[in-house]
Amino acid sequence: MKKKIAILISGRGSNMKTIIKNVEDSILKELCEVMVVFSNKKDAPGLEIAKSLGISTKVIESKGKKRSTYNKLLFDYLDELNPDYIILAGYMKIISSDVVQRFRNRIINIHPADTALHQGLHGYEWAFENKMESTKITVHFVDEELDTGKVIAKREVDISDCGTIEEVEQKGLKVEHQFYSECLKKILTTEHTESTENG
Ligand code: GRF
């Protein structure tokens, strides 16, 4: 059975776009379907990309709302939607603990740095400013804290030849796009196999 995924974004949506494409005709085909692309920002450029690819979109604006109000609206929406997995792809809000509890081990995030070394924003800037030879992109489950959830996999990117932050980001994003879908495939396939074995 195909798993149902919801993708959460706040901006550009380049990871989202690759995931949708890979569901359409590549490594995620037959494994899952994208129920919706959700954004907390109505002007997130990724929303238009999702629509152009024939994917439903949903916006609940976080701006101008109390955090608790927004969190409750999002919880109610996701609870009703009931996806198998929630995929964060540049979603810039902290996931509230009630959503984490409701979807334990089913919320996945990609972080542009090693979560053991750097949490929060600006992962590529952090690697560049610290003159690192390489950085490790991390795909992990989301728990109640920021970027502390169980690691699914890390992939090292050599950035020693990058002279600007733009080059670091460009090189890193290219890896993210491939890597994120590979990790999703691994998760979706593992669960798939387990549920088959259990009948
Ligand atoms: C990526 O670098 C991702 O690792 C981080 O936010 C950025 C999102 O980029 N969590 P995009 O919106 O997928 O282009």
Side-chain angles (χ1 to χ4, degrees):
M1 260 262 284
K2 282 186 187 177
K3 297 290 177 191
K4 294 174 293 167
I5 67 170
I7 305 177
L8 274 52
I9 66 168
S10 298
R12 177 175 60 191
S14 69
N15 277 287
M16 170 213 77
K17 182 179 174 183
T18 313
I19 292 167
I20 293 171
K21 293 268 184 199
N22 286 339
V23 172
E24 251 172 34
D25 57 17
S26 188
I27 63 169
L28 297 173
K29 201 176 172 183
E30 309 303 333
L31 293 178
C32 62
E33 61 186 81
V34 183
M35 304 174 85
V36 72
V37 167
F38 170 92
S39 175
N40 67 306
K41 290 189 174 181
K42 67 175 185 307
D43 55 357
L47 287 171
E48 290 311 313
I49 299 170
K51 282 181 202 161
S52 74
L53 294 169
I55 304 293
S56 306
T57 59
K58 166 79 179 175
V59 174
I60 299 174
E61 277 268 31
S62 55
K63 199 172 166 190
K65 290 188 181 73
K66 273 171 65 181
R67 187 187 301 167
S68 56
T69 307
Y70 171 75
N71 283 344
K72 168 90 173 82
L73 288 169
L74 180 60
F75 177 86
D76 289 347
Y77 173 68
L78 292 171
D79 186 40
E80 168 82 22
L81 186 72
N82 195 24
D84 294 307
Y85 288 94
I86 296 171
I87 311 300
L88 309 186
Y91 177 68
M92 303 300 279
K93 302 286 290 179
I94 305 243
I95 298 290
S96 65
S97 57
D98 53 356
V99 172
V100 172
Q101 279 158 31
R102 165 75 171 78
F103 296 95
R104 176 78 63 196
N105 292 331
R106 295 194 285 137
I107 309 172
I108 299 164
N109 183 43
I110 187 160
H111 182 70
D114 187 339
T115 49
L117 300 176
H118 177 87
Q119 302 83 32
L121 297 174
H122 310 306
Y124 288 127
E125 286 88 337
W126 165 80
F128 183 65
E129 279 158 17
N130 284 291
K131 301 187 176 32
M132 292 166 70
E133 295 278 300
S134 68
T135 191
K136 279 183 186 160
I137 291 162
T138 312
V139 173
H140 64 96
F141 290 109
V142 172
D143 66 7
E144 282 85 350
E145 307 297 323
L146 183 63
D147 299 327
T148 54
K150 185 168 170 242
V151 171
I152 295 161
K154 295 182 190 189
R155 180 152 300 168
E156 189 155 15
V157 189
D158 177 2
I159 54 167
S160 60
D161 58 344
C162 297
T164 63
I165 175 63
E166 288 77 20
E167 281 173 39
V168 172
E169 185 169 18
Q170 205 178 21
K171 197 166 180 188
L173 269 174
K174 203 170 163 209
V175 175
E176 284 190 38
H177 295 161
Q178 175 75 19
F179 181 50
Y180 207 1
S181 287
E182 284 174 21
C183 291
L184 295 178
K185 180 177 178 174
K186 189 169 115 183
I187 287 168
L188 293 164
T189 323
T190 308
E191 248 237 7
H192 187 69
T193 311
E194 277 170 9
S195 57
T196 308
E197 282 169 357
N198 294 337

